[in-house]
Amino acid sequence: MYFWNSYPFIRLSIALIIGIILFDYLPTLWTDPLFTFPILIAILVFCVFASSKYGFHKIRHLNGLSGLAIIIFIGGFMVKLRYHDHSPNHYRFLETPSKAYAGTIVKPASEGDQYYRYELALDYVISDTLRETEGIIYLYVRKDSINSVFQYGDFLRIKGRIYSVSPPKNPHEFDYKQYLERQHIHSHSFVKKEAIQIADRHSPSGVLAFAYTLRTSAANIIDRTIVSKKENAIAKALILGVKDHLDNEIKKAYASAGAMHVLAVSGLHVGIIYLLLQFLFGRLKHGGMFGKRLFAVFSIVIIWLYALITGLSPSVLRAATMFSMMTVGQVGAREGNIYNTLGIAAFMLLIYDPYLIYSVGFQLSFAAVFGIVYLQPKLYRLIAFRLMIPDKAWAITCVSIAAQAATFPLSAYYFHQFPTYFLLSNLVVIPVAFLALFMGIIMLLLYPVTSFISQILGNILENIFGFLNLIMNGIESLPGSLIEWIYIDQYGLILIYSFSLTLAVSLHHKSFKMLLISSGLILIFLFNDSKQYYDQSKKKYLIFYSIKEKTAIDEVKGLSVQLFTEGDGTTDPGVYSFQINPNRLASLLPPIEGTNNSLKKKFQDFGAFQFGTLLSQKILIIDSTTFHLDFKKPINADIVLIENNAVGNLEWFKEHFAAEHVLLGSSNSYYYVNKMNKQAKSMDFDIHSIRNDGAFVLKISDDLNID
């Protein structure tokens, strides 16, 4: 218990996180304030009464647990307040489709391949009537229809529909709907420039308007000084945090080399800014209390200005908060507890936005810093170098090892890969990032005064980034540069971190008891992993995937799988990997290949029909118009898949076909699917729309009975 006394905000942050997560699983605890608040008041009254009777010190543990319980309830309440306590005017409660709407751009454009994406805060929506509303949507504007990009604060009137974001349609597919909801976004709209009218401009926040204007000006300077496309994209990502122009080739090379963090503005970049401030203005701290305060104010202003310019990402927020607190602590000549400082940063950020806990960047950032703070000094002391260059290289290596050790479980859980040459790449990218960020800031500051010197610096940076790209591409091309297809589920992630923490505690305190607990946790992890393989080896099932205008069927037999697709069997990895591979990975199956089985080769072709067997299930695919045909007797099948609006009506279908399962494929039109669903409902006929309802999974036991 005394161990925790030095880390009060670690305890408070853990309790707050428990409350945030608990809300998602047991929201009823916070649904009725008449139930929640009396419990909190009862806890407070009990603690005050017990403390007055028995003394606070005697029941300090009970008081501590009661306090943590209150923080847990506060965590859940903050989630309800910020994400679920919508006013009746929120656009989620609109009952009729919109014909037009109006709102203000509250975040500058993000540039994609085909669209500019904006965050638009709605003011009103027109359906049958004009209705005031609120809430933020994603507005997508086609790039080929627009000459100039809209700005922060533009008030727009738009003709078009607002659509709810669809949930995932395939097993284990990324839940984009949930991802957006945790950013207060529930709908989106796709329009062309012709549908938009700029009515006014009024910035919701003067500070943000200044920051975005500053970032736009900085991006324009980079455009003038660094001409090469790839190097320009690297400069904007590393200096400003603008990653819109990074192509897939660059992202793949840096990810494979284990250096992607240098392209995502994070604690590394804020740390470099802090070190630069120390180098340039550190002498102020020797000027007495006034000098210390001046340095603190100046440092905090610069750090938060940089955080604003880079878009207030979770990792920058964490780093800016932590470095600000370190700076304030130095004013009072107190050496802060770094763990507690991190706890304070986490607590403040989660009070501001509870769902930051689900941000991958937030999780990786805190994990990396905890790993570096705990492991790096221990690793660094293992080897001593007298020369400066080997010593600095060893220090960077220790930082890289510590950060990778702390973040590997999270990286494996989210990205399913591990860069094997991360030590080599970080020996290059960290010094280059330090130099490039320093030169980049100088270039931006000097440009209004002397564009000539800024152009020289830009040319130097262009060569530096060209060299960096060459190194990263070289590391990527090394054999075994990236280990892929690593799968850890949520349960396994918790077990791995629990094992790591208990092992660290057992080694630090030389506790045999904690070592036994740690050993038990790793055995549970290995048992769970083995059980997953065993369970999967006994399964048989078919999956009809939901892929836009395409037919794709996985035939799964234990740990082996075959994919059957339309056409000649070739697959587009960019299309199929996001819908099929997530389920393959979670089911411990191999990834899809470039060429798969063709349904035309597997099935017999009867013109309007294709007929074949998968896992002893007779499957009939109807992909051409058939309602003019007549049959002497009904055609029997286990599964009938209707594609391309082929069946005119269900009454005709019931007369000529008999099937256990009737599926509407993804190639059917939106209006056709709705028409067929209405017919099925009126006839009390069971039908599954792959387009609307998602993938169809047919589980089959060894004796071929349906589960």
Side-chain angles (χ1 to χ4, degrees):
M1 275 297 193
Y2 295 105
F3 168 79
W4 286 106
N5 290 342
S6 301
Y7 313 107
F9 272 93
I10 295 292
R11 286 178 288 167
L12 295 178
S13 296
I14 291 173
L16 195 68
I17 291 169
I18 290 172
I20 294 167
I21 296 173
L22 197 60
F23 182 92
D24 287 343
Y25 290 94
L26 294 171
T28 52
L29 292 176
W30 288 268
T31 302
D32 187 0
L34 295 176
F35 170 75
T36 304
F37 286 106
I39 293 177
L40 297 179
I41 294 171
I43 290 173
L44 286 171
V45 170
F46 174 78
C47 289
V48 171
F49 174 77
S51 297
S52 63
K53 185 173 182 179
Y54 301 104
F56 182 85
H57 183 74
K58 287 186 178 180
I59 60 167
R60 62 187 184 280
H61 298 318
L62 179 61
N63 283 333
L65 291 174
S66 300
L68 293 179
I70 292 172
I71 297 297
I72 288 172
F73 274 101
I74 290 174
F77 179 74
M78 293 303 298
V79 175
K80 182 179 186 300
L81 185 66
R82 286 189 56 93
Y83 288 91
H84 299 274
D85 198 17
H86 297 298
S87 75
N89 286 336
H90 197 276
Y91 66 79
R92 290 181 66 193
F93 303 115
L94 293 175
E95 297 178 355
T96 54
S98 62
K99 297 176 182 177
Y101 53 93
T104 303
I105 293 176
V106 293
K107 197 169 185 179
S110 294
E111 186 176 353
D113 293 334
Q114 300 180 22
Y115 290 91
Y116 288 111
R117 188 190 72 194
Y118 303 88
E119 289 187 18
L120 189 78
L122 294 178
D123 286 315
Y124 65 80
V125 169
I126 298 175
S127 49
D128 296 331
T129 59
L130 187 148
R131 175 177 169 179
E132 290 187 3
T133 189
E134 61 184 50
I136 298 174
I137 66 167
Y138 269 159
L139 173 66
Y140 291 87
V141 184
R142 285 197 65 89
K143 293 174 68 174
D144 57 11
S145 71
I146 189 170
N147 296 322
S148 60
V149 181
F150 298 115
Q151 303 298 318
Y152 172 78
D154 283 351
F155 182 78
L156 308 179
R157 293 193 181 101
I158 304 164
K159 292 180 180 179
R161 289 276 303 274
I162 297 172
Y163 297 93
S164 297
V165 179
S166 300
K169 298 292 181 65
N170 296 294
H172 303 286
E173 188 178 347
F174 175 66
D175 194 342
Y176 187 61
K177 178 181 175 68
Q178 184 186 73
Y179 170 77
L180 290 185
E181 285 177 351
R182 288 172 174 170
Q183 300 177 63
H184 307 282
I185 296 168
H186 302 269
S187 297
H188 51 198
S189 182
F190 297 81
V191 298
K192 293 183 178 181
K193 172 68 167 61
E194 294 76 27
I196 303 175
Q197 176 189 0
I198 301 178
D200 194 6
R201 176 173 293 173
H202 59 279
S203 299
S205 167
V207 174
L208 286 176
F210 172 72
Y212 292 142
T213 301
L214 202 60
R215 185 170 69 172
T216 301
S217 300
N220 291 335
I221 292 172
I222 291 174
D223 287 336
R224 297 187 191 105
T225 53
I226 301 177
V227 180
S228 177
K229 186 177 179 180
K230 287 188 176 181
E231 283 70 30
N232 179 283
I234 296 288
K236 287 180 180 176
L238 191 148
I239 299 170
L240 303 177
V242 178
K243 297 180 286 185
D244 297 350
H245 306 288
L246 294 173
D247 59 35
N248 291 330
E249 183 183 341
I250 291 176
K251 292 178 183 178
K252 185 175 181 296
Y254 278 74
S256 299
M260 194 63 191
H261 58 278
V262 81
L263 300 182
V265 171
S266 62
L268 170 67
H269 301 70
V270 178
I272 291 172
I273 295 292
Y274 184 78
L275 290 175
L276 289 174
L277 290 170
Q278 289 269 38
F279 175 74
L280 295 173
F281 307 106
R283 290 185 180 180
L284 288 173
K285 294 193 292 185
H286 303 297
M289 185 58 67
F290 176 78
K292 288 182 179 181
R293 289 174 178 172
L294 185 63
F295 175 80
V297 170
F298 186 71
S299 298
I300 290 170
V301 168
I302 295 297
I303 285 172
W304 281 100
L305 183 60
Y306 181 71
L308 281 169
I309 293 172
T310 56
L312 294 174
S313 69
S315 53
V316 172
L317 277 171
R318 186 273 312 161
T321 303
M322 186 185 69
F323 280 107
S324 298
M325 290 176 181
M326 287 173 57
T327 304
V328 171
Q330 288 176 352
V331 172
R334 295 188 301 270
E335 186 175 349
N337 182 317
I338 187 64
Y339 298 106
N340 206 46
T341 302
L342 283 170
I344 295 171
F347 189 85
M348 292 175 62
L349 292 171
L350 293 175
I351 286 290
Y352 166 72
D353 189 351
Y355 273 167
L356 277 179
I357 189 61
Y358 293 114
S359 165
V360 179
F362 181 91
Q363 295 172 15
L364 288 172
S365 182
F366 271 90
V369 174
F370 270 107
I372 291 168
V373 169
Y374 179 76
L375 278 179
Q376 194 272 345
K378 293 175 172 56
L379 294 172
Y380 181 72
R381 288 193 293 266
L382 293 176
I383 303 175
F385 293 95
R386 294 183 179 181
L387 298 177
M388 184 184 71
I389 293 179
D391 182 66
K392 295 298 181 185
W394 174 238
I396 293 173
T397 300
C398 292
V399 169
S400 300
I401 294 173
Q404 281 289 349
T407 59
F408 168 70
L410 280 170
S411 297
Y413 176 71
Y414 286 113
F415 309 117
H416 316 294
Q417 60 185 28
F418 178 73
T420 53
Y421 298 109
F422 70 92
L423 290 177
L424 179 61
S425 64
N426 279 300
L427 283 173
V428 178
V429 298
I430 292 178
V432 168
F434 191 97
L435 177 63
L437 193 56
F438 176 71
M439 291 181 62
I441 291 172
I442 297 299
M443 178 187 74
L444 296 176
L445 292 175
L446 288 180
Y447 191 87
V449 180
T450 167
S451 60
F452 176 74
I453 296 177
S454 289
Q455 187 62 61
I456 293 174
L457 291 173
N459 292 337
I460 296 172
L461 279 172
E462 190 167 340
N463 290 321
I464 289 174
F465 291 136
F467 168 75
L468 188 61
N469 289 341
L470 187 67
I471 295 295
M472 294 302 105
N473 285 319
I475 293 174
E476 181 199 14
S477 64
L478 293 174
S481 62
L482 190 67
I483 300 173
E484 297 182 281
W485 213 247
I486 302 171
Y487 179 69
I488 298 176
D489 62 8
Q490 207 169 58
Y491 184 56
L493 180 69
I494 295 171
L495 284 173
I496 289 176
Y497 273 116
S498 299
F499 160 74
S500 302
L501 289 172
T502 52
L503 179 63
V505 171
S506 69
L507 294 175
H508 182 77
H509 293 284
K510 297 180 174 59
S511 169
F512 182 70
K513 181 179 178 181
M514 292 302 295
L515 184 62
L516 287 177
I517 294 173
S518 178
S519 302
L521 288 169
I522 199 63
L523 288 174
I524 293 172
F525 173 80
L526 294 173
F527 173 78
N528 179 61
D529 194 50
S530 300
K531 186 176 183 301
Q532 285 180 314
Y533 273 96
Y534 177 79
D535 291 343
Q536 179 62 35
S537 69
K538 297 296 182 182
K539 293 179 180 179
K540 287 184 181 180
Y541 52 91
L542 297 173
I543 301 180
F544 292 75
Y545 289 102
S546 179
I547 300 175
K548 187 177 181 181
E549 298 181 355
K550 295 182 182 294
T551 302
I553 307 169
D554 255 348
E555 181 188 50
V556 181
K557 299 177 183 177
L559 296 171
S560 65
V561 60
Q562 292 188 76
L563 176 64
F564 295 90
T565 60
E566 58 190 341
D568 59 1
T570 58
T571 56
D572 178 4
V575 174
Y576 285 90
S577 60
F578 292 104
Q579 284 90 4
I580 298 176
N581 270 346
N583 181 66
R584 292 276 191 98
L585 180 66
S587 302
L588 310 176
L589 299 169
I592 59 172
E593 303 294 340
T595 303
N596 295 282
N597 302 289
S598 171
L599 282 168
K600 287 187 176 181
K601 293 179 180 179
K602 175 71 174 178
F603 285 22
Q604 291 179 287
D605 194 344
F606 296 99
F609 308 109
Q610 295 179 53
F611 188 82
T613 302
L614 296 176
L615 288 183
S616 301
Q617 298 293 293
K618 297 176 182 178
I619 301 173
L620 179 67
I621 301 176
I622 309 175
D623 58 6
S624 298
T625 304
T626 57
F627 57 83
H628 63 284
L629 299 176
D630 197 8
F631 305 98
K632 293 181 180 179
K633 61 179 181 178
I635 297 176
N636 294 306
D638 295 301
I639 303 169
V640 174
L641 175 63
I642 302 171
E643 297 280 13
N644 300 320
N645 304 347
V647 173
N649 61 75
L650 287 180
E651 290 183 359
W652 175 89
F653 177 84
K654 285 188 69 175
E655 182 181 347
H656 294 92
F657 297 91
E660 184 76 22
H661 304 281
V662 180
L663 313 179
L664 297 177
S666 299
S667 64
N668 296 300
S669 70
Y670 171 80
Y671 298 101
Y672 176 81
V673 170
N674 285 344
K675 182 187 79 170
M676 296 295 279
N677 281 332
K678 288 179 181 178
Q679 286 185 23
K681 187 175 182 181
S682 65
M683 297 167 57
D684 196 23
F685 185 76
D686 190 19
I687 194 168
H688 180 93
S689 169
I690 293 176
R691 175 174 180 150
N692 289 4
D693 305 327
F696 177 76
V697 182
L698 181 66
K699 297 180 181 179
I700 302 169
S701 63
D702 292 333
D703 59 1
L704 300 185
N705 291 323
I706 306 302
D707 289 338

